[in-house]
Amino acid sequence: MGNPVDPGDIQKSMIKDEKADKRRKNILNLVLLALLLVAPAVIYPVFLMKILCFALFAVAFNLLLGFTGLLSFGHAAFLAAGGYTTGYLLSTYSGLTTEMGIIAGTLAATVLGALFAVVAIRRQGIYFAMITLALAQLVYFGFVQAPFTGGEDGMHGVPRGHLFGIIDLENNLAMYYFVLAVFLGGYLLVQRVVGSPYGQVLKAIKQNEPRAVSLGYNVNQYKVLAFVMSAGLAGLAGSVKTVVFQLASLNDAHWHMSGEVILMTLLGGTGTLLGPVFGATFVVNLEYQLSQGPLGDWVDPILGGIFVLTVIAFQSGIVGEVQKFVKKNLG
Amino acid sequence: MSDQFVLETRGLVKEFKGFVAVDDVNLKVQRGHIHALIGPNGAGKTTVFNLLTKFLQPTHGKILFNGKDITALKSAAIARKGVVRSFQISAVFPHMTALENIRVALQSFQGNSFQFWKSGASLNKLNERCMELLDAVGLTEFANTTTVELAYGRKRALELATTLAMEPELLLLDEPTQGMGREDVDRVVHLVRKAAEGRTVLMVEHNLSVVSTLCDRITVLAQGAVLTEGGYQEVSEDPRVREVYMGSAKTTQEAVE
């Protein structure tokens, strides 16, 4: 204070800080990527794929909750729409290559997302959440009644098929690296979106919506786009998941699933890119471990307890708390 | 003479279920003026602001900006036309830096705000203009500070700089000195005077000493309707104004003391 400051210097130091920050993040991401590349040598690939599918689902959800400030309580609908569409197409048309089935599933979820968004976007907070829940319930009962979903029994025996018509995905390792590539694509897309000029506007809307309006932004249009992208990516996660497990079931469309993705995201840390990934990993692991032991019937109450604890004690989630710690002690 | 008035309202009315918050307000804001809207609590000042910027829909009446009817436009469109408002409670983006706050406003005119595929670095070309605006309100050294950490007075200064980034033709300020200490008030008065160069300002203000030093013209609202309008001297001597403010025959000058 008191000393004259040169605006040029401040700008330079800002850009330098940004670059250093970026470099740190890149190093961390590369380490995580290396771990994911070698992971199937140690851990059962199908289990890893399950984690990656849910991680992508949570990353998609977080684009909305963490970076736009909208709480959707209906994201299961998009996961299921992607899954059922892909499952149905791959089961019915044997000439279809796997990636085409997945693209179709993603598109279906994107369209459904646009419909949801148009209806729900004018509402805020709890009303927005309730409308998305209601719409997702409509979709759920649609899936229960629709002839092609197999109703309560679900859709079984979906062929994994060949990627681009060449690579046989029955091989678990080939499937794993494909799922990893899809996950990375989705993750990097969200990273790009969040850091883009559009992402800045989303941030502004999340932090102070009336102010964003008064600066000339038509906020509903921005929110709709975020919602549609989020729904599309959730659908992508569902499509890939169906190919991995060769089945699509009502579990994916149930509101429990919408709740679970909220839990994953909050637990990992909203508003951070890696948070949902860790949250999904944690929840999927915990469910698996518990189901193996004597506490199998206690999965839901235990998850509920963890949820309450997160909301009360560490609201920034796993990644958020770690970031805070690093900033405080090393920054 | 539509040229003389930047903003005009004709028979502006806002009714909430069985309650008239704004009652037949005809306001004319002359180009280049700093125009104050004063009145006791609940007089409808902020409601008028919300109507002008379409945060609320008027029940009846027309709003004209530069002689053109803008009653049907939405909030965001009105802001783009050049009518930009501030808020009673400081309106900043708390978890962005001071510079980013201003940059979001500048970005509004860049036409790249839907480009979700572009790198954020493409916004750095706006930084220079951001620094100029920060400098104008004395916040240069806080450019890289997260806004939530700024003192209240500085937040308001940042808010003003952000509003000015929109290059508004008409600036609507909702109680810019509310909740401020003496020192901050003086600074804001100075900033508003500087900001008003080359543009028109309509402000809601409680602090009558601020009004008396800054404003060219004053409109007094009471119970949603215009009570009187005129220069400071004229208004402050009006017994009806004293009546609504004090419920007695004290002068507004005494009320300030």
Side-chain angles (χ1 to χ4, degrees), chain B residues 16-236:
Chain B
F16 298 105
K17 284 192 179 129
F19 168 73
V20 185
V22 173
D23 189 4
D24 192 26
V25 167
N26 296 296
L27 203 60
K28 282 184 177 182
V29 180
Q30 197 173 323
R31 189 178 303 282
H33 268 184
I34 299 181
H35 193 127
L37 204 55
I38 67 169
N41 281 327
K45 304 176 300 276
T46 298
T47 310
V48 168
F49 261 39
N50 283 332
L51 293 173
L52 292 177
T53 47
K54 296 307 281 295
F55 277 73
L56 288 172
Q57 299 299 322
T59 314
H60 304 289
K62 269 188 182 174
I63 304 161
L64 288 95
F65 177 58
N66 282 333
K68 287 200 190 92
D69 190 344
I70 58 164
T71 320
L73 294 183
K74 285 189 182 159
S75 302
I78 288 175
R80 286 168 175 280
K81 282 226 169 241
V83 183
V84 184
R85 69 175 294 181
S86 73
F87 292 81
Q88 217 174 82
I89 307 152
S90 88
V92 289
F93 303 116
H95 301 292
M96 294 166 116
T97 65
L99 181 133
E100 284 171 333
N101 262 270
I102 296 181
R103 203 163 62 179
V104 164
L106 291 175
Q107 198 190 329
S108 184
F109 293 105
Q110 293 284 311
N112 61 2
S113 295
F114 276 108
Q115 295 179 354
F116 59 81
W117 57 89
K118 236 183 173 171
S119 156
S122 62
L123 292 171
N124 282 340
K125 61 172 191 273
L126 300 173
N127 288 359
E128 209 146 311
R129 177 73 186 127
C130 292
M131 292 307 292
E132 282 170 29
L133 284 157
L134 282 172
D135 194 41
V137 296
L139 288 177
T140 308
E141 57 195 304
F142 299 102
N144 208 10
T145 307
T146 309
T147 307
V148 71
E149 288 160 15
L150 292 177
Y152 182 73
R154 297 210 164 99
K155 277 186 195 146
R156 305 278 344 209
L158 176 63
E159 186 189 349
L160 193 61
T162 309
T163 308
L164 290 177
M166 299 288 290
E167 299 286 346
E169 193 176 334
L170 173 63
L171 197 57
L172 302 178
L173 301 176
D174 198 352
E175 297 195 35
T177 65
Q178 198 218 12
M180 278 186 188
R182 181 95 209 191
E183 204 174 302
D184 281 338
V185 168
D186 289 345
R187 191 157 71 185
V188 167
V189 166
H190 174 71
L191 287 177
V192 170
R193 185 169 283 144
K194 214 157 99 178
E197 283 167 20
R199 49 175 65 93
T200 313
V201 176
L202 175 63
M203 63 194 284
V204 168
E205 185 53 66
H206 268 305
N207 187 330
L208 291 180
S209 80
V210 171
V211 171
S212 71
T213 47
L214 268 181
C215 299
D216 303 298
R217 201 162 177 83
I218 297 160
T219 300
V220 186
L221 281 185
Q223 291 173 356
V226 175
L227 189 67
T228 183
E229 197 191 304
Y232 183 76
Q233 209 57 37
E234 194 183 331
V235 165
S236 62

Side-chain angles (χ1 to χ4, degrees), chain A residues 305-315:
Chain A
I306 291 175
F307 188 71
V308 171
L309 209 67
T310 311
V311 173
I312 293 174
F314 57 116
Q315 289 171 354

Side-chain angles (χ1 to χ4, degrees), chain A residues 263 286 290 298-311:
Chain A
L263 170 65
L286 190 75
L290 289 177
W298 289 84
V299 173
D300 283 341
I302 290 173
L303 279 177
I306 291 175
F307 188 71
V308 171
L309 209 67
T310 311
V311 173

